Coordinates of all heavy atoms in Angstrom, one line a residue:
A128 N -12.8 -81.2 69.9 CA -11.4 -81.1 70.1 C -10.7 -81.9 69.0 O -9.7 -81.4 68.4 CB -11.0 -81.5 71.4
L129 N -11.1 -83.2 68.8 CA -10.6 -83.9 67.7 C -10.8 -83.3 66.3 O -9.9 -83.4 65.5 CB -11.2 -85.4 67.8 CG -10.7 -86.2 69.0 CD1 -11.6 -87.4 69.1 CD2 -9.2 -86.6 68.9
E130 N -11.9 -82.7 66.1 CA -12.2 -82.1 64.8 C -11.2 -81.0 64.5 O -10.8 -80.8 63.4 CB -13.6 -81.5 64.9 CG -14.1 -80.8 63.6 CD -15.4 -80.2 63.7 OE1 -16.2 -80.5 64.7 OE2 -15.9 -79.5 62.7
F131 N -10.8 -80.2 65.6 CA -9.9 -79.1 65.3 C -8.6 -79.3 66.0 O -7.9 -78.3 66.3 CB -10.6 -77.8 65.9 CG -11.9 -77.4 65.3 CD1 -13.1 -77.6 65.9 CD2 -11.8 -76.9 64.0 CE1 -14.3 -77.3 65.2 CE2 -13.1 -76.6 63.3 CZ -14.3 -76.8 63.9
R132 N -8.2 -80.6 66.1 CA -6.8 -81.0 66.7 C -5.7 -80.1 66.1 O -4.9 -79.6 66.9 CB -6.7 -82.4 66.5 CG -5.3 -82.9 67.2 CD -4.9 -84.2 66.6 NE -5.8 -85.3 66.8 CZ -5.6 -86.5 67.3 NH1 -4.3 -86.8 67.7 NH2 -6.5 -87.4 67.5
H133 N -5.7 -80.0 64.8 CA -4.5 -79.3 64.2 C -4.9 -77.9 63.6 O -4.1 -77.4 62.7 CB -4.0 -80.2 63.0 CG -3.5 -81.5 63.5 ND1 -2.4 -81.6 64.4 CD2 -3.8 -82.8 63.4 CE1 -2.1 -82.8 64.7 NE2 -3.0 -83.6 64.1
T134 N -6.0 -77.4 64.0 CA -6.4 -76.1 63.6 C -5.6 -75.0 64.4 O -5.9 -74.7 65.5 CB -7.9 -75.8 63.7 OG1 -8.6 -76.8 63.0 CG2 -8.3 -74.4 63.2
A135 N -4.6 -74.4 63.7 CA -3.7 -73.5 64.4 C -4.4 -72.2 64.7 O -5.2 -71.7 64.0 CB -2.5 -73.3 63.6
C136 N -4.1 -71.6 65.9 CA -4.6 -70.3 66.3 C -3.5 -69.7 67.2 O -2.6 -70.4 67.7 CB -5.9 -70.4 67.0 SG -6.0 -71.3 68.5
I137 N -3.7 -68.5 67.6 CA -2.8 -67.9 68.5 C -3.3 -68.1 69.9 O -4.4 -68.0 70.3 CB -2.7 -66.3 68.2 CG1 -1.5 -65.7 69.1 CG2 -4.0 -65.6 68.4 CD1 -0.2 -66.2 68.7
G138 N -2.3 -68.5 70.8 CA -2.6 -68.5 72.2 C -2.4 -67.1 72.8 O -1.6 -66.3 72.3
R139 N -3.2 -66.8 73.8 CA -3.1 -65.5 74.4 C -2.9 -65.6 75.9 O -3.5 -66.4 76.6 CB -4.4 -64.7 74.2 CG -4.8 -64.5 72.7 CD -6.1 -64.0 72.4 NE -6.4 -63.7 71.0 CZ -6.9 -64.6 70.2 NH1 -7.1 -65.8 70.5 NH2 -7.1 -64.2 68.9
T140 N -2.0 -64.8 76.5 CA -1.9 -64.6 77.9 C -2.1 -63.1 78.2 O -1.6 -62.3 77.5 CB -0.5 -65.1 78.4 OG1 0.5 -64.4 77.7 CG2 -0.3 -66.6 78.1
H141 N -2.8 -62.8 79.3 CA -3.1 -61.5 79.6 C -4.0 -60.8 78.5 O -4.1 -59.6 78.4 CB -1.9 -60.6 79.9 CG -1.0 -61.1 81.0 ND1 -1.2 -60.8 82.3 CD2 0.1 -61.9 80.8 CE1 -0.2 -61.4 83.0 NE2 0.5 -62.1 82.2
G142 N -4.6 -61.7 77.7 CA -5.4 -61.2 76.5 C -4.5 -60.7 75.4 O -5.1 -60.2 74.3
V143 N -3.2 -60.9 75.4 CA -2.2 -60.5 74.4 C -1.7 -61.7 73.7 O -1.5 -62.8 74.3 CB -1.1 -59.7 75.1 CG1 -0.1 -59.2 74.0 CG2 -1.7 -58.4 75.8
H144 N -1.4 -61.6 72.4 CA -0.8 -62.7 71.7 C 0.4 -63.2 72.3 O 1.3 -62.5 72.7 CB -0.5 -62.3 70.2 CG -1.7 -62.1 69.4 ND1 -1.7 -62.2 68.0 CD2 -3.0 -61.9 69.6 CE1 -2.9 -62.0 67.5 NE2 -3.8 -61.8 68.5
A145 N 0.5 -64.6 72.4 CA 1.6 -65.2 73.0 C 2.3 -66.2 72.1 O 3.1 -65.7 71.3 CB 1.2 -66.0 74.3
E146 N 2.0 -67.4 72.1 CA 2.6 -68.4 71.1 C 1.5 -69.2 70.4 O 0.3 -69.2 70.9 CB 3.5 -69.3 71.8 CG 4.8 -68.7 72.4 CD 5.7 -69.6 73.0 OE1 5.4 -70.8 73.3 OE2 6.9 -69.2 73.2
P147 N 1.8 -69.9 69.3 CA 0.8 -70.7 68.7 C 0.3 -71.8 69.5 O 1.0 -72.4 70.3 CB 1.5 -71.2 67.4 CG 2.7 -70.2 67.3 CD 3.1 -69.8 68.6
T148 N -1.0 -72.1 69.3 CA -1.6 -73.3 69.9 C -2.6 -73.8 68.8 O -2.4 -73.4 67.7 CB -2.3 -73.0 71.2 OG1 -2.8 -74.3 71.8 CG2 -3.4 -72.0 71.1
T149 N -3.5 -74.7 69.2 CA -4.5 -75.1 68.3 C -5.8 -74.9 69.0 O -6.0 -75.1 70.2 CB -4.4 -76.6 67.8 OG1 -4.8 -77.5 68.8 CG2 -3.0 -76.9 67.4
F150 N -6.9 -74.7 68.2 CA -8.2 -74.6 68.8 C -8.7 -75.9 69.4 O -9.3 -76.0 70.4 CB -9.2 -74.2 67.7 CG -10.6 -73.9 68.3 CD1 -10.8 -72.9 69.2 CD2 -11.7 -74.6 67.9 CE1 -12.0 -72.6 69.8 CE2 -13.0 -74.3 68.4 CZ -13.1 -73.3 69.3
G151 N -8.2 -77.0 68.8 CA -8.5 -78.3 69.4 C -7.9 -78.5 70.8 O -8.5 -79.1 71.7
L152 N -6.7 -78.0 71.0 CA -6.1 -78.0 72.3 C -6.9 -77.2 73.4 O -7.0 -77.6 74.5 CB -4.6 -77.5 72.3 CG -3.6 -78.5 71.9 CD1 -2.2 -77.9 71.9 CD2 -3.6 -79.7 72.8
K153 N -7.4 -76.1 72.9 CA -8.3 -75.3 73.9 C -9.5 -76.1 74.3 O -9.8 -76.2 75.5 CB -8.8 -74.0 73.1 CG -7.9 -72.9 72.9 CD -8.6 -71.8 72.2 CE -7.7 -70.5 72.0 NZ -7.7 -69.7 73.2
L154 N -10.1 -76.8 73.3 CA -11.2 -77.6 73.7 C -10.9 -78.9 74.5 O -11.6 -79.4 75.3 CB -11.9 -78.1 72.4 CG -12.5 -76.9 71.5 CD1 -13.1 -77.5 70.2 CD2 -13.5 -76.1 72.3
L155 N -9.7 -79.4 74.2 CA -9.2 -80.6 74.9 C -9.0 -80.2 76.4 O -9.3 -81.1 77.3 CB -7.9 -81.1 74.3 CG -7.3 -82.4 74.9 CD1 -8.2 -83.6 74.6 CD2 -5.9 -82.6 74.5
V156 N -8.5 -79.1 76.7 CA -8.3 -78.6 78.1 C -9.6 -78.6 78.8 O -9.8 -79.1 79.9 CB -7.6 -77.2 78.2 CG1 -7.7 -76.7 79.5 CG2 -6.2 -77.3 77.7
F157 N -10.7 -78.1 78.1 CA -12.0 -78.0 78.7 C -12.6 -79.5 78.9 O -13.3 -79.7 79.9 CB -13.0 -77.2 77.8 CG -12.5 -75.8 77.7 CD1 -12.8 -75.1 76.5 CD2 -11.9 -75.1 78.6 CE1 -12.5 -73.8 76.3 CE2 -11.5 -73.8 78.5 CZ -11.8 -73.1 77.3
H158 N -12.3 -80.4 77.9 CA -12.8 -81.7 78.0 C -12.2 -82.4 79.2 O -12.9 -83.1 80.0 CB -12.4 -82.5 76.7 CG -12.4 -84.0 76.9 ND1 -13.7 -84.7 76.9 CD2 -11.5 -84.9 77.1 CE1 -13.4 -86.0 77.2 NE2 -12.0 -86.1 77.3
A159 N -10.9 -82.2 79.4 CA -10.2 -82.8 80.6 C -10.8 -82.3 81.9 O -11.0 -83.1 82.8 CB -8.7 -82.5 80.6
E160 N -11.2 -81.1 81.9 CA -11.8 -80.5 83.1 C -13.2 -81.1 83.4 O -13.6 -81.3 84.5 CB -11.9 -79.0 83.1 CG -12.4 -78.3 84.3 CD -12.1 -76.8 84.3 OE1 -11.1 -76.3 83.6 OE2 -12.8 -76.1 85.0
M161 N -13.9 -81.3 82.3 CA -15.2 -81.9 82.4 C -15.1 -83.3 82.9 O -16.0 -83.8 83.7 CB -16.0 -81.8 81.1 CG -16.5 -80.4 80.8 SD -17.5 -79.7 82.1 CE -19.1 -80.6 81.8
V162 N -14.1 -84.0 82.5 CA -13.9 -85.4 83.0 C -13.6 -85.4 84.5 O -14.1 -86.2 85.3 CB -12.7 -86.1 82.2 CG1 -12.3 -87.4 83.0 CG2 -13.1 -86.3 80.8
R163 N -12.8 -84.4 85.0 CA -12.6 -84.2 86.4 C -13.9 -83.9 87.1 O -14.1 -84.3 88.2 CB -11.5 -83.2 86.7 CG -10.1 -83.5 86.2 CD -9.0 -82.6 86.7 NE -9.3 -81.2 86.3 CZ -8.7 -80.7 85.2 NH1 -8.1 -81.5 84.3 NH2 -8.9 -79.4 84.9
N164 N -14.7 -83.1 86.5 CA -16.0 -82.7 87.1 C -16.8 -83.9 87.2 O -17.6 -84.0 88.2 CB -16.7 -81.6 86.2 CG -16.1 -80.3 86.4 OD1 -15.6 -79.9 87.5 ND2 -16.2 -79.4 85.4
A165 N -16.8 -84.8 86.3 CA -17.6 -86.1 86.4 C -17.2 -86.8 87.6 O -18.0 -87.3 88.4 CB -17.4 -86.9 85.1
A166 N -15.9 -87.0 87.9 CA -15.4 -87.6 89.0 C -15.8 -86.9 90.4 O -16.1 -87.5 91.4 CB -13.9 -87.8 89.0
R167 N -15.7 -85.5 90.3 CA -16.0 -84.8 91.5 C -17.5 -85.0 91.8 O -17.9 -85.1 93.0 CB -15.8 -83.3 91.2 CG -14.3 -82.9 91.1 CD -14.2 -81.4 90.9 NE -12.8 -81.0 90.7 CZ -12.3 -80.5 89.6 NH1 -13.1 -80.3 88.6 NH2 -11.0 -80.2 89.5
L168 N -18.4 -84.9 90.8 CA -19.8 -85.1 91.0 C -20.1 -86.5 91.5 O -20.9 -86.7 92.4 CB -20.5 -84.9 89.6 CG -22.1 -85.0 89.7 CD1 -22.7 -84.1 90.6 CD2 -22.7 -84.9 88.3
E169 N -19.5 -87.5 91.0 CA -19.7 -88.9 91.5 C -19.4 -89.0 93.0 O -20.1 -89.6 93.8 CB -18.8 -89.8 90.7 CG -19.3 -91.3 90.7 CD -20.6 -91.4 90.0 OE1 -20.8 -90.9 88.9 OE2 -21.5 -92.2 90.5
A170 N -18.2 -88.4 93.4 CA -17.9 -88.5 94.8 C -18.8 -87.6 95.7 O -19.2 -88.1 96.8 CB -16.4 -88.0 95.0
A171 N -19.2 -86.5 95.2 CA -20.1 -85.6 96.0 C -21.5 -86.3 96.1 O -22.1 -86.2 97.2 CB -20.2 -84.3 95.4
L172 N -22.0 -86.9 95.1 CA -23.2 -87.6 95.1 C -23.2 -88.8 96.1 O -24.1 -89.0 96.9 CB -23.7 -88.1 93.8 CG -24.2 -87.0 92.8 CD1 -24.4 -87.6 91.4 CD2 -25.4 -86.3 93.3
A173 N -22.1 -89.5 96.1 CA -22.0 -90.6 97.1 C -22.0 -90.1 98.5 O -22.5 -90.8 99.3 CB -20.7 -91.4 96.7
G174 N -21.3 -89.0 98.7 CA -21.3 -88.4 100.0 C -22.6 -87.9 100.5 O -22.9 -87.9 101.7
A175 N -23.4 -87.3 99.6 CA -24.7 -86.7 100.0 C -25.9 -87.7 100.0 O -26.9 -87.4 100.6 CB -25.0 -85.6 99.0

Side-chain angles (χ1 to χ4, degrees):
L129 289 168
E130 180 182 353
F131 298 106
R132 181 198 301 228
H133 296 298
T134 301
C136 64
I137 188 65
R139 298 168 176 89
T140 58
H141 304 274
V143 177
H144 284 207
E146 292 187 345
T148 183
T149 77
F150 187 60
L152 277 179
K153 284 178 179 279
L154 299 177
L155 185 69
V156 169
F157 298 150
H158 163 76
E160 185 164 334
M161 289 300 287
V162 170
R163 294 194 297 276
N164 282 332
R167 292 180 184 118
L168 179 61
E169 203 66 41
L172 287 171

